[in-house]
Amino acid sequence: LDWNERNVLGVALGDSIYLWNASDGSIQQLMQTSGDNSHVTSLAWVQDGPGGEGRYMAVGTSDHTVQIWDVQRLKQVRSMHGHRARVSSLSWNGPLLSSGGRDSVVMQHDVRVADHKVGTLRGHAQEVCGLKWSPSGTQLASGGNDNILNVWDDRYTS
């Protein structure tokens, strides 16, 4: 789950993502995965900054895919591949999206360009279960099921 600046909480339940507007209590389904064994494994809003629209959300799936969704239009606008297992964690740093997977890899995606994969970080022996960029955007913390915490300097993230 993840909350955006517009007070909307994105919640992954099985194969679907629901959007709960905490201001008015409304609930809307954003998406549902396709395929018998496909489900949502992570999500993260783009953090637009003060006054931002909270328009885009990254979604990680069990079929190794990172999707970008336009929440206002309820439409998938991008699909990015590269992981060999489920995408279990996501974190934004401006236009750079970091994704961590069960394949023990952290991938760096620049969503502005067609050839999105701009870096790969290898420092875990098991699933990367948590990712978070520092407020300054210069360090990325990654936590794994191997009980290792890595802090990556921005020199190593592209």
Side-chain angles (χ1 to χ4, degrees):
L1 54 89
D2 196 21
W3 220 305
N4 75 2
E5 291 112 352
R6 297 186 76 193
N7 210 18
V8 177
L9 181 65
V11 180
L13 295 173
D15 63 355
S16 299
I17 293 179
Y18 296 91
L19 306 173
W20 176 63
N21 186 320
S23 299
D24 65 17
S26 63
I27 299 172
Q28 184 175 36
Q29 184 175 6
L30 171 64
M31 57 82 74
Q32 184 173 14
T33 60
S34 57
D36 292 336
N37 295 319
S38 181
H39 54 275
V40 177
T41 52
S42 55
L43 63 86
W45 289 99
V46 173
Q47 300 302 317
D48 297 320
E53 297 180 44
R55 180 174 182 164
Y56 295 99
M57 178 185 283
V59 175
T61 67
S62 60
D63 59 358
H64 323 165
T65 305
V66 176
Q67 303 172 356
I68 308 295
W69 283 78
D70 181 329
V71 174
Q72 291 178 353
R73 294 183 2 212
L74 301 177
K75 182 176 179 169
Q76 182 180 332
V77 294
R78 184 112 193 237
S79 183
M80 299 181 290
H81 303 278
H83 284 283
R84 296 182 327 258
R86 72 178 172 211
V87 179
S88 47
S89 52
L90 298 163
S91 186
W92 287 95
N93 186 18
L96 185 70
L97 175 63
S98 301
S99 62
R102 192 173 195 180
D103 56 6
S104 74
V105 172
V106 176
M107 291 193 172
Q108 307 291 63
H109 311 271
D110 186 334
V111 300
R112 299 170 296 184
V113 295
D115 190 13
H116 60 89
K117 188 175 159 189
V118 295
T120 302
L121 305 175
R122 299 181 190 281
H124 291 281
Q126 294 182 24
E127 182 169 14
V128 179
C129 56
L131 286 173
K132 188 66 176 177
W133 278 95
S134 67
S136 66
T138 60
Q139 294 178 305
L140 174 67
S142 65
N145 287 347
D146 51 8
N147 296 320
I148 292 175
L149 167 68
N150 289 313
V151 178
W152 306 91
D153 185 288
D154 61 356
R155 294 174 294 179
Y156 302 106
T157 58
S158 59

